[in-house]
Structures are given as C-alpha cells and as structure tokens.
Amino acid sequence: MKWFRKKGEQSVKPSIKEHQAEKLGQLGSQLASLRQEQGLTLDELVVFTRIPRRLLQAIEKGSLSDLPEPIYIQGLIRQFADALGLQGREFASHFPIGSQSVSVQSNWKVQAVPQLRPVHLYLLYIGLIFCSVNGLSQLLNNSTFQANNRQIQPKTVTQLAGKETANNTFISKKGDQSVQIGVTLKASSWISVVTDGKTAFEGVLPQGSSRTWNATEQLTVKTDNAGGVLMSVNQQKAKEMGELGKAQEINIAAKPNL
C-alpha cells in the first residue's frame, strides 16, 4: 500500500511547465514594476534590447505560451534585466529550463552532422575552383583582346599625298612650315592625335564625325580601325588610313624651310 501511496503522491507533483509558468510570472512582475519605476516604456526597451515588443509584454505578463523554448526565454529575461540595470545572468538563472537545454543541444548536434559531410565540402570546393578558373580565363581573354586592338602595326601607305619617308612619316608639300590633317569617320573608331609632341586628342569618335588638327613640326595619327577613318593632308583628297579593323599609325612632318 505504501508503494501505491507514493505513486499517487508523485502523480500530483507539479510539472516542469507549471513550475516555469509560476517563475515566469514572478520574474515578469518584478521586471514590469522596475520598468515602471524607472519611467521606461516597452517601446523604449525594444530599442535598448532589440527584443520585439510582444515578447517583452509576454514576459511581463508571464504568458509562457506566447514565448519560445525555455532556454531562449532565459536569454530574453537576461537581456530584459540587463537593460533595467540588474545582474541579468543571475536574475535569469531563477527561471528553470528543465531538460530543454539538453534536448536543444542534442537536436543541434543531429542537425549539424549533414551540414559538415565531406561530399558537400568537396562539391563546394570544386565549384569555387571552376568559378575562379572561368573568371581568370575571361579576364585574360579581355586583356589580350584590348592589347591587340591597341597594338599599332605601322605599314607603308602610298595613297596619301606627300613624300614618303621611313617609319610611315610623310613630308607635307604645303608651302609654309606647317601641316594640317582632317579626319572623317566612316565607322566609330578609336583615334589618337599628337601635334608637335603633345596629345591633342585621344578617344572614340562616332560614325559621321569630322575633326581637323594643325601642327608646325610633326603630326601623328593612330587608330584601331584604319578602314573606318578617312584622312586628308593639307585639304587634299581624303583617303582611308588602311584596312578595315586594322590598327595604323601615320606620322606627317611639316616641310622644312629652305
């Protein structure tokens, strides 16, 4: 009979949930009273603690059903108490979490195992290598393409008016010691113009545009699309600088005074 009485006595022992609800009511009441004494509103505490207002209100009212797992409730109480100037860790330790802490830790371990499987790390590693190699390849291709476009390939051009000398240099036939060139764009092209050792222009001119430059000693014209640029020297008939899509450099020297 004694065994049955003991069993009956154990069955009416308060559950952990009831104990948690009782403690939450006591602690929440103390926090609410202290907050009101300090003249703080729940909205102000939301700013201090970064805890949503509904959770702060549930703690003050002791509403266990409106709060998350007990281990998180203890953390919320600690932050609440710290914001009011209490020793939050000690104050929150009065809230029992029972066996919840053990179950939470166990669940975390079980969920972490598939996230650390070697096959996942291996696939991630292969993906990073593929992206890196692909990006590097594109970067090198772009650099090579730009270098080829900018590379100047001098060649002899006999169509332009003037007396040809070495290195694509032409001596102007104009009577005074000066030279003038004009360019008209058949297609949008990059052009660089240097007059008497100074860069007068460098950039892309759109299709249909026309420009003129003068120099007293020497004038140099470069382009990455020789066939798209018509050039005239000292207002003579314009000729293409070269083949379409090819780079070209032409130097024109003024006729020296005799």
Side-chain angles (χ1 to χ4, degrees):
M1 294 298 294
K2 289 183 179 181
W3 181 82
F4 289 107
R5 281 199 298 268
K6 288 182 179 179
K7 186 176 179 180
E9 289 172 359
Q10 291 177 357
S11 64
V12 297
K13 184 180 179 179
S15 65
I16 183 64
K17 287 286 186 182
E18 293 174 345
H19 188 44
Q20 289 170 345
E22 180 182 357
K23 280 296 182 180
L24 179 63
Q26 296 173 3
L27 299 177
S29 178
Q30 294 178 33
L31 293 173
S33 298
L34 184 57
R35 175 183 63 80
Q36 293 169 2
E37 290 176 5
Q38 296 182 9
L40 297 173
T41 65
L42 283 176
D43 292 329
E44 290 173 329
L45 280 178
V46 169
V47 177
F48 296 152
T49 63
R50 298 184 181 276
I51 298 175
R53 190 179 190 279
R54 61 181 181 80
L55 297 181
L56 294 175
Q57 193 171 23
I59 292 173
E60 286 191 350
K61 292 183 177 181
S63 180
L64 188 64
S65 60
D66 293 330
L67 294 168
E69 296 295 324
I71 191 171
Y72 299 118
I73 297 175
Q74 192 177 72
L76 295 174
I77 294 173
R78 178 177 57 79
Q79 290 179 257
F80 199 158
D82 283 336
L84 296 177
L86 299 175
Q87 296 294 328
R89 185 178 298 275
E90 180 180 354
F91 185 85
S93 66
H94 294 91
F95 177 78
I97 59 175
S99 59
Q100 293 294 325
S101 59
V102 176
S103 62
V104 170
Q105 183 69 15
S106 176
N107 290 338
W108 178 84
K109 288 181 179 179
V110 172
Q111 294 174 358
V113 170
Q115 295 177 0
L116 297 178
R117 285 179 180 172
V119 65
H120 294 164
L121 298 177
Y122 177 75
L123 292 176
L124 178 61
Y125 176 71
I126 293 299
L128 289 175
I129 291 178
F130 176 79
C131 293
S132 300
V133 172
N134 189 39
L136 182 60
S137 176
Q138 291 181 359
L139 180 62
L140 292 176
N141 288 339
N142 290 338
S143 299
T144 303
F145 176 77
Q146 293 176 1
N148 290 337
N149 284 343
R150 293 299 177 91
Q151 183 180 6
I152 303 303
Q153 301 175 356
K155 71 173 187 176
T156 302
V157 179
T158 58
Q159 296 90 342
L160 294 174
K163 180 179 179 182
E164 182 181 353
T165 63
N167 298 326
N168 284 355
T169 300
F170 294 81
I171 298 177
S172 170
K173 291 182 178 180
K174 195 172 182 180
D176 57 354
Q177 188 177 357
S178 65
V179 61
Q180 180 188 81
I181 64 106
V183 297
T184 300
L185 277 295
K186 295 171 57 180
S188 178
S189 306
W190 173 86
I191 291 181
S192 172
V193 180
V194 179
T195 60
D196 297 331
K198 298 180 179 180
T199 300
F201 177 82
E202 183 176 356
V204 177
L205 290 176
Q207 180 181 359
S209 60
S210 298
R211 299 287 293 272
T212 302
W213 290 276
N214 296 277
T216 58
E217 296 180 0
Q218 182 169 309
L219 198 151
T220 302
V221 183
K222 301 177 183 179
T223 181
D224 65 350
N225 184 17
V229 182
L230 294 174
M231 189 178 78
S232 65
V233 180
N234 294 334
Q235 300 181 352
Q236 296 184 26
K237 184 178 179 180
K239 299 289 185 180
E240 294 178 352
M241 289 183 64
E243 298 180 18
L244 189 65
K246 298 291 185 178
Q248 182 62 278
E249 174 181 349
I250 296 177
N251 299 316
I252 304 173
K255 181 179 179 180
N257 290 330
L258 301 176

